[in-house]
Amino acid sequence: MSPGEHAPDPREARTPAEFLARLQALKDWSGLTYRDLSARAEARGDVLPRSTVANMLARATLPREELLTVFVRACGATPAELAHWRAARRRIAGIRGAGETLSGAGPGTGLDAGPDAEPDAGPDEGVGPDAGPDADADAHAGGGRGSTDLAAPGPPDAAGPVTAPPSPVWPVGPHTHADSHPHAPSRSDLHDAHAPSRIRRALVAAVALAGLVLAGVSVVAFLRDGHTGPAGQPARTPVASAPLAGDVRIRVTGTGLCLGERRGTRTGQVHQVPCAEAGVPLYSLVAVGADRWRIASDHPDFGPGCSGLPSGGRIPGAAYEDSECGDPSRVETFTLEPYGRPVRGHRIVPVGSATPGSCVTVTGDRTAAWAPLAQAPCAPDAAGQLFTFERRD
């Protein structure tokens, strides 16, 4: 929440759609993640599962009053503000019908339109099939990491490898006549007895020249790809592997540090940690469109989630963190842009961030373990912004 900024006011809401929009704005105003809200509710003696919050904000109907109360209190609203939220909910439920959808299509079936109508499940419900537009893209809920396995290469063509037919070679024996080969020149084309020999020598020279050219091209490509270098000079950096869907370990390029969280904390903040300790959480890449990726996480304490930026990325320097998938206020989709010639690594670039030109960046002391990651302007030299995605067994 920003200093001096008032919490969203629900009293002007007239429909369930407007009420839910203000609830989402309240969460954004609080600046809290689902984990934070759950922890704050627990500290007050309330129960607020993280999945329930995500489900409530993604639904098309008014939440139950008990759930609304716990959520609004966890967001930091005062008792007077909480009273406004409850009164607004009862008013909308009484006027419009508690089962009305976000589209305004009319009340739902079988639901009491009165102020005590409770169309939703209680606070202990989990995320249902309508948990949000991104629910199916979650690597763990929508098929898991197993759904991202690479397809095995197809079998070779049944006809076998295609080979070029051998080039015709004219006879070179001393007693061979010029017309002994169907493609040899006729006698009428020869100006003297030595013409076939000159043609053969020309062909041999052409073939030899073509071989030299091909060899030269191969050597240049070999040097360019960084396998070796001129005498006395170091080899070029090898080409970084292109990211592939599936289980990965995310290394900060050129270091022994990988991405991970500090075990025992709830913030979800991602740090660079020694790769030998980078098992919390486990990461996987999930393709969600052309050149679009979601970085799914599997935390031993908090379960499945996604890496992302809070509040739509509109806060410069926003922390890069792991949290539940499907929060519409977060940026959870990225492009993985190759950098360098040859490619040295890939930048993690937020898609649709309210702060354009940003990259996920190691901040603070970039040489130290546990330096945090955050959104920062993409640097020309990509310092602290290059990552390698290594397959994890």
Side-chain angles (χ1 to χ4, degrees), residues 116-167:
D116 295 327
E118 306 294 352
D120 294 79
D124 58 346
E125 70 178 284
V127 177
D130 56 348
D134 294 329
D136 291 338
D138 182 355
H140 308 281
R145 287 190 298 277
S147 65
T148 61
D149 291 341
L150 298 178
D157 191 286
V162 178
T163 57
S167 302

Tab-separated table of all heavy atoms in Angstrom, residues 116-167:
chain	number	residue	atom	x	y	z
A	116	ASP	N	-28.911	-12.554	2.888
A	116	ASP	CA	-28.204	-13.651	3.530
A	116	ASP	C	-27.827	-14.750	2.566
A	116	ASP	O	-27.353	-15.808	2.973
A	116	ASP	CB	-29.069	-14.253	4.656
A	116	ASP	CG	-29.289	-13.242	5.773
A	116	ASP	OD1	-28.370	-12.432	5.998
A	116	ASP	OD2	-30.361	-13.276	6.403
A	117	ALA	N	-28.051	-14.527	1.289
A	117	ALA	CA	-27.714	-15.570	0.306
A	117	ALA	C	-26.221	-15.782	0.278
A	117	ALA	O	-25.452	-14.848	0.264
A	117	ALA	CB	-28.210	-15.157	-1.071
A	118	GLU	N	-25.790	-17.024	0.249
A	118	GLU	CA	-24.367	-17.371	0.257
A	118	GLU	C	-24.083	-18.310	-0.894
A	118	GLU	O	-24.063	-19.524	-0.734
A	118	GLU	CB	-23.986	-18.039	1.585
A	118	GLU	CG	-24.358	-17.236	2.819
A	118	GLU	CD	-23.588	-15.930	2.927
A	118	GLU	OE1	-22.667	-15.732	2.128
A	118	GLU	OE2	-23.917	-15.119	3.810
A	119	PRO	N	-23.853	-17.818	-2.091
A	119	PRO	CA	-23.714	-18.702	-3.245
A	119	PRO	C	-22.403	-19.442	-3.294
A	119	PRO	O	-22.275	-20.418	-3.985
A	119	PRO	CB	-23.830	-17.734	-4.423
A	119	PRO	CG	-23.333	-16.417	-3.871
A	119	PRO	CD	-23.797	-16.394	-2.450
A	120	ASP	N	-21.402	-18.958	-2.583
A	120	ASP	CA	-20.077	-19.561	-2.706
A	120	ASP	C	-19.816	-20.495	-1.546
A	120	ASP	O	-20.440	-20.446	-0.495
A	120	ASP	CB	-18.993	-18.489	-2.727
A	120	ASP	CG	-19.077	-17.628	-3.965
A	120	ASP	OD1	-19.872	-16.755	-4.058
A	120	ASP	OD2	-18.362	-17.836	-4.847
A	121	ALA	N	-18.815	-21.332	-1.753
A	121	ALA	CA	-18.416	-22.246	-0.690
A	121	ALA	C	-17.700	-21.474	0.395
A	121	ALA	O	-17.304	-20.342	0.227
A	121	ALA	CB	-17.515	-23.348	-1.257
A	122	GLY	N	-17.488	-22.109	1.513
A	122	GLY	CA	-16.856	-21.451	2.645
A	122	GLY	C	-15.385	-21.234	2.442
A	122	GLY	O	-14.798	-21.606	1.448
A	123	PRO	N	-14.729	-20.627	3.462
A	123	PRO	CA	-13.314	-20.282	3.320
A	123	PRO	C	-12.403	-21.466	3.148
A	123	PRO	O	-11.255	-21.307	2.792
A	123	PRO	CB	-13.016	-19.542	4.650
A	123	PRO	CG	-14.353	-19.101	5.175
A	123	PRO	CD	-15.316	-20.116	4.691
A	124	ASP	N	-12.884	-22.681	3.418
A	124	ASP	CA	-11.995	-23.823	3.302
A	124	ASP	C	-12.049	-24.460	1.929
A	124	ASP	O	-11.466	-25.522	1.699
A	124	ASP	CB	-12.346	-24.875	4.364
A	124	ASP	CG	-13.804	-25.336	4.250
A	124	ASP	OD1	-14.570	-24.659	3.552
A	124	ASP	OD2	-14.136	-26.352	4.880
A	125	GLU	N	-12.731	-23.814	0.981
A	125	GLU	CA	-12.817	-24.417	-0.351
A	125	GLU	C	-11.493	-24.298	-1.068
A	125	GLU	O	-10.686	-23.428	-0.795
A	125	GLU	CB	-13.909	-23.728	-1.166
A	125	GLU	CG	-13.532	-22.297	-1.569
A	125	GLU	CD	-14.588	-21.633	-2.399
A	125	GLU	OE1	-14.677	-21.964	-3.579
A	125	GLU	OE2	-15.300	-20.785	-1.878
A	126	GLY	N	-11.262	-25.173	-2.032
A	126	GLY	CA	-10.068	-25.082	-2.864
A	126	GLY	C	-10.377	-24.385	-4.158
A	126	GLY	O	-11.485	-23.949	-4.399
A	127	VAL	N	-9.374	-24.274	-5.013
A	127	VAL	CA	-9.570	-23.640	-6.306
A	127	VAL	C	-10.304	-24.609	-7.207
A	127	VAL	O	-9.854	-25.727	-7.432
A	127	VAL	CB	-8.222	-23.258	-6.932
A	127	VAL	CG1	-8.440	-22.669	-8.305
A	127	VAL	CG2	-7.516	-22.247	-6.040
A	128	GLY	N	-11.457	-24.187	-7.715
A	128	GLY	CA	-12.255	-25.043	-8.572
A	128	GLY	C	-11.887	-24.880	-10.012
A	128	GLY	O	-10.934	-24.199	-10.357
A	129	PRO	N	-12.649	-25.472	-10.919
A	129	PRO	CA	-12.356	-25.375	-12.350
A	129	PRO	C	-12.431	-23.970	-12.867
A	129	PRO	O	-11.828	-23.654	-13.875
A	129	PRO	CB	-13.452	-26.254	-12.985
A	129	PRO	CG	-13.964	-27.113	-11.881
A	129	PRO	CD	-13.810	-26.328	-10.627
A	130	ASP	N	-13.194	-23.084	-12.151
A	130	ASP	CA	-13.302	-21.709	-12.622
A	130	ASP	C	-12.373	-20.791	-11.853
A	130	ASP	O	-12.675	-19.645	-11.598
A	130	ASP	CB	-14.750	-21.217	-12.480
A	130	ASP	CG	-15.253	-21.340	-11.042
A	130	ASP	OD1	-14.570	-22.005	-10.240
A	130	ASP	OD2	-16.309	-20.773	-10.752
A	131	ALA	N	-11.223	-21.308	-11.458
A	131	ALA	CA	-10.319	-20.534	-10.619
A	131	ALA	C	-9.689	-19.383	-11.341
A	131	ALA	O	-8.990	-18.609	-10.745
A	131	ALA	CB	-9.218	-21.440	-10.066
A	132	GLY	N	-9.879	-19.220	-12.613
A	132	GLY	CA	-9.326	-18.065	-13.289
A	132	GLY	C	-8.885	-18.407	-14.678
A	132	GLY	O	-8.724	-19.574	-15.034
A	133	PRO	N	-8.646	-17.381	-15.489
A	133	PRO	CA	-8.300	-17.621	-16.891
A	133	PRO	C	-6.978	-18.319	-17.064
A	133	PRO	O	-6.716	-18.911	-18.088
A	133	PRO	CB	-8.268	-16.200	-17.481
A	133	PRO	CG	-8.034	-15.298	-16.301
A	133	PRO	CD	-8.741	-15.950	-15.154
A	134	ASP	N	-6.118	-18.259	-16.043
A	134	ASP	CA	-4.800	-18.857	-16.207
A	134	ASP	C	-4.690	-20.207	-15.543
A	134	ASP	O	-3.625	-20.799	-15.514
A	134	ASP	CB	-3.715	-17.929	-15.608
A	134	ASP	CG	-3.600	-16.635	-16.385
A	134	ASP	OD1	-3.862	-16.692	-17.603
A	134	ASP	OD2	-3.273	-15.603	-15.801
A	135	ALA	N	-5.821	-20.693	-14.955
A	135	ALA	CA	-5.708	-21.913	-14.176
A	135	ALA	C	-5.210	-23.069	-14.997
A	135	ALA	O	-4.413	-23.872	-14.550
A	135	ALA	CB	-7.067	-22.249	-13.546
A	136	ASP	N	-5.685	-23.203	-16.246
A	136	ASP	CA	-5.282	-24.343	-17.056
A	136	ASP	C	-3.850	-24.271	-17.484
A	136	ASP	O	-3.264	-25.271	-17.881
A	136	ASP	CB	-6.173	-24.436	-18.305
A	136	ASP	CG	-7.593	-24.826	-17.942
A	136	ASP	OD1	-7.773	-25.411	-16.850
A	136	ASP	OD2	-8.505	-24.543	-18.724
A	137	ALA	N	-3.240	-23.070	-17.445
A	137	ALA	CA	-1.849	-22.935	-17.877
A	137	ALA	C	-0.887	-23.274	-16.772
A	137	ALA	O	0.307	-23.354	-16.997
A	137	ALA	CB	-1.590	-21.505	-18.360
A	138	ASP	N	-1.386	-23.468	-15.542
A	138	ASP	CA	-0.499	-23.818	-14.450
A	138	ASP	C	0.160	-25.149	-14.739
A	138	ASP	O	-0.470	-26.144	-15.010
A	138	ASP	CB	-1.343	-23.895	-13.161
A	138	ASP	CG	-0.509	-24.209	-11.933
A	138	ASP	OD1	0.681	-24.456	-12.099
A	138	ASP	OD2	-1.076	-24.194	-10.819
A	139	ALA	N	1.465	-25.178	-14.607
A	139	ALA	CA	2.195	-26.389	-14.969
A	139	ALA	C	1.769	-27.569	-14.137
A	139	ALA	O	1.825	-28.713	-14.584
A	139	ALA	CB	3.687	-26.160	-14.794
A	140	HIS	N	1.326	-27.312	-12.874
A	140	HIS	CA	1.061	-28.430	-11.991
A	140	HIS	C	-0.407	-28.779	-11.954
A	140	HIS	O	-0.760	-29.935	-11.719
A	140	HIS	CB	1.578	-28.079	-10.589
A	140	HIS	CG	3.002	-27.608	-10.612
A	140	HIS	ND1	4.053	-28.468	-10.708
A	140	HIS	CD2	3.541	-26.364	-10.617
A	140	HIS	CE1	5.181	-27.782	-10.736
A	140	HIS	NE2	4.898	-26.499	-10.692
A	141	ALA	N	-1.297	-27.775	-12.154
A	141	ALA	CA	-2.728	-28.070	-12.136
A	141	ALA	C	-3.219	-28.501	-13.493
A	141	ALA	O	-4.191	-29.205	-13.618
A	141	ALA	CB	-3.510	-26.842	-11.670
A	142	GLY	N	-2.550	-28.059	-14.553
A	142	GLY	CA	-3.031	-28.349	-15.892
A	142	GLY	C	-2.230	-29.426	-16.572
A	142	GLY	O	-1.951	-29.342	-17.754
A	143	GLY	N	-1.787	-30.412	-15.851
A	143	GLY	CA	-1.065	-31.499	-16.484
A	143	GLY	C	0.280	-31.733	-15.864
A	143	GLY	O	0.897	-32.759	-16.060
A	144	GLY	N	0.785	-30.725	-15.089
A	144	GLY	CA	2.041	-30.915	-14.396
A	144	GLY	C	3.215	-30.877	-15.336
A	144	GLY	O	3.099	-30.630	-16.525
A	145	ARG	N	4.365	-31.088	-14.740
A	145	ARG	CA	5.571	-31.043	-15.557
A	145	ARG	C	5.586	-32.163	-16.578
A	145	ARG	O	6.211	-32.070	-17.612
A	145	ARG	CB	6.803	-31.124	-14.649
A	145	ARG	CG	7.033	-29.836	-13.878
A	145	ARG	CD	8.366	-29.873	-13.193
A	145	ARG	NE	8.450	-30.941	-12.214
A	145	ARG	CZ	7.994	-30.845	-10.988
A	145	ARG	NH1	7.406	-29.748	-10.585
A	145	ARG	NH2	8.118	-31.838	-10.138
A	146	GLY	N	4.876	-33.254	-16.247
A	146	GLY	CA	4.860	-34.342	-17.214
A	146	GLY	C	4.243	-33.951	-18.531
A	146	GLY	O	4.526	-34.545	-19.562
A	147	SER	N	3.356	-32.913	-18.501
A	147	SER	CA	2.696	-32.523	-19.742
A	147	SER	C	3.605	-31.736	-20.646
A	147	SER	O	3.260	-31.447	-21.771
A	147	SER	CB	1.462	-31.675	-19.421
A	147	SER	OG	1.850	-30.453	-18.811
A	148	THR	N	4.788	-31.377	-20.134
A	148	THR	CA	5.692	-30.577	-20.947
A	148	THR	C	6.858	-31.386	-21.482
A	148	THR	O	7.809	-30.836	-22.004
A	148	THR	CB	6.243	-29.415	-20.116
A	148	THR	OG1	6.974	-29.942	-19.004
A	148	THR	CG2	5.115	-28.536	-19.610
A	149	ASP	N	6.793	-32.725	-21.327
A	149	ASP	CA	7.888	-33.538	-21.844
A	149	ASP	C	8.012	-33.360	-23.336
A	149	ASP	O	7.022	-33.272	-24.056
A	149	ASP	CB	7.661	-35.022	-21.516
A	149	ASP	CG	7.810	-35.272	-20.019
A	149	ASP	OD1	8.404	-34.433	-19.340
A	149	ASP	OD2	7.337	-36.323	-19.569
A	150	LEU	N	9.247	-33.387	-23.792
A	150	LEU	CA	9.478	-33.214	-25.216
A	150	LEU	C	9.123	-34.477	-25.968
A	150	LEU	O	9.387	-35.592	-25.514
A	150	LEU	CB	10.949	-32.869	-25.461
A	150	LEU	CG	11.419	-31.561	-24.820
A	150	LEU	CD1	12.892	-31.373	-25.093
A	150	LEU	CD2	10.634	-30.391	-25.384
A	151	ALA	N	8.528	-34.319	-27.108
A	151	ALA	CA	8.222	-35.476	-27.953
A	151	ALA	C	9.503	-36.046	-28.505
A	151	ALA	O	10.417	-35.326	-28.873
A	151	ALA	CB	7.300	-35.050	-29.094
A	152	ALA	N	9.585	-37.373	-28.552
A	152	ALA	CA	10.767	-38.004	-29.106
A	152	ALA	C	10.828	-37.777	-30.599
A	152	ALA	O	9.809	-37.664	-31.267
A	152	ALA	CB	10.734	-39.513	-28.808
A	153	PRO	N	12.037	-37.694	-31.144
A	153	PRO	CA	12.138	-37.501	-32.597
A	153	PRO	C	11.459	-38.626	-33.338
A	153	PRO	O	11.446	-39.773	-32.884
A	153	PRO	CB	13.654	-37.489	-32.840
A	153	PRO	CG	14.262	-37.197	-31.506
A	153	PRO	CD	13.333	-37.756	-30.482
A	154	GLY	N	10.865	-38.319	-34.447
A	154	GLY	CA	10.171	-39.319	-35.246
A	154	GLY	C	11.121	-40.307	-35.863
A	154	GLY	O	12.325	-40.085	-35.967
A	155	PRO	N	10.606	-41.468	-36.291
A	155	PRO	CA	11.469	-42.492	-36.901
A	155	PRO	C	11.998	-42.016	-38.234
A	155	PRO	O	11.386	-41.186	-38.901
A	155	PRO	CB	10.514	-43.690	-37.074
A	155	PRO	CG	9.155	-43.061	-37.174
A	155	PRO	CD	9.202	-41.859	-36.281
A	156	PRO	N	13.140	-42.532	-38.652
A	156	PRO	CA	13.659	-42.137	-39.950
A	156	PRO	C	12.749	-42.593	-41.073
A	156	PRO	O	11.940	-43.496	-40.906
A	156	PRO	CB	15.027	-42.853	-39.999
A	156	PRO	CG	14.883	-43.994	-39.048
A	156	PRO	CD	13.969	-43.516	-37.954
A	157	ASP	N	12.884	-41.942	-42.219
A	157	ASP	CA	12.063	-42.278	-43.377
A	157	ASP	C	12.274	-43.738	-43.753
A	157	ASP	O	13.388	-44.263	-43.754
A	157	ASP	CB	12.459	-41.369	-44.555
A	157	ASP	CG	11.463	-41.500	-45.687
A	157	ASP	OD1	11.489	-42.533	-46.365
A	157	ASP	OD2	10.673	-40.569	-45.886
A	158	ALA	N	11.151	-44.404	-44.085
A	158	ALA	CA	11.227	-45.834	-44.375
A	158	ALA	C	12.124	-46.128	-45.557
A	158	ALA	O	12.677	-47.218	-45.678
A	158	ALA	CB	9.819	-46.381	-44.645
A	159	ALA	N	12.273	-45.161	-46.420
A	159	ALA	CA	13.082	-45.401	-47.608
A	159	ALA	C	14.556	-45.299	-47.318
A	159	ALA	O	15.380	-45.551	-48.176
A	159	ALA	CB	12.706	-44.400	-48.704
A	160	GLY	N	14.897	-44.929	-46.077
A	160	GLY	CA	16.299	-44.816	-45.730
A	160	GLY	C	16.846	-43.469	-46.137
A	160	GLY	O	16.182	-42.657	-46.766
A	161	PRO	N	18.061	-43.160	-45.729
A	161	PRO	CA	18.648	-41.867	-46.056
A	161	PRO	C	18.776	-41.680	-47.561
A	161	PRO	O	19.078	-42.603	-48.303
A	161	PRO	CB	20.021	-41.912	-45.372
A	161	PRO	CG	20.296	-43.378	-45.202
A	161	PRO	CD	18.981	-44.038	-45.005
A	162	VAL	N	18.539	-40.464	-48.001
A	162	VAL	CA	18.629	-40.142	-49.417
A	162	VAL	C	20.064	-39.763	-49.740
A	162	VAL	O	20.642	-38.896	-49.094
A	162	VAL	CB	17.691	-38.970	-49.767
A	162	VAL	CG1	17.833	-38.624	-51.245
A	162	VAL	CG2	16.255	-39.354	-49.445
A	163	THR	N	20.608	-40.417	-50.723
A	163	THR	CA	21.989	-40.131	-51.131
A	163	THR	C	21.985	-39.661	-52.562
A	163	THR	O	21.169	-40.079	-53.377
A	163	THR	CB	22.884	-41.385	-50.992
A	163	THR	OG1	22.324	-42.429	-51.776
A	163	THR	CG2	22.941	-41.840	-49.523
A	164	ALA	N	22.903	-38.759	-52.844
A	164	ALA	CA	22.989	-38.243	-54.201
A	164	ALA	C	23.591	-39.291	-55.114
A	164	ALA	O	24.469	-40.055	-54.711
A	164	ALA	CB	23.859	-36.981	-54.217
A	165	PRO	N	23.084	-39.378	-56.337
A	165	PRO	CA	23.664	-40.364	-57.259
A	165	PRO	C	25.097	-39.983	-57.583
A	165	PRO	O	25.465	-38.809	-57.593
A	165	PRO	CB	22.765	-40.236	-58.505
A	165	PRO	CG	22.175	-38.878	-58.406
A	165	PRO	CD	22.031	-38.585	-56.958
A	166	PRO	N	25.932	-40.991	-57.818
A	166	PRO	CA	27.333	-40.695	-58.105
A	166	PRO	C	27.456	-39.912	-59.405
A	166	PRO	O	26.718	-40.099	-60.354
A	166	PRO	CB	27.965	-42.089	-58.213
A	166	PRO	CG	26.818	-43.001	-58.557
A	166	PRO	CD	25.617	-42.426	-57.877
A	167	SER	N	28.403	-38.965	-59.380
A	167	SER	CA	28.662	-38.201	-60.591
A	167	SER	C	29.308	-39.101	-61.637
A	167	SER	O	30.117	-39.970	-61.324
A	167	SER	CB	29.603	-37.031	-60.289
A	167	SER	OG	29.025	-36.208	-59.288
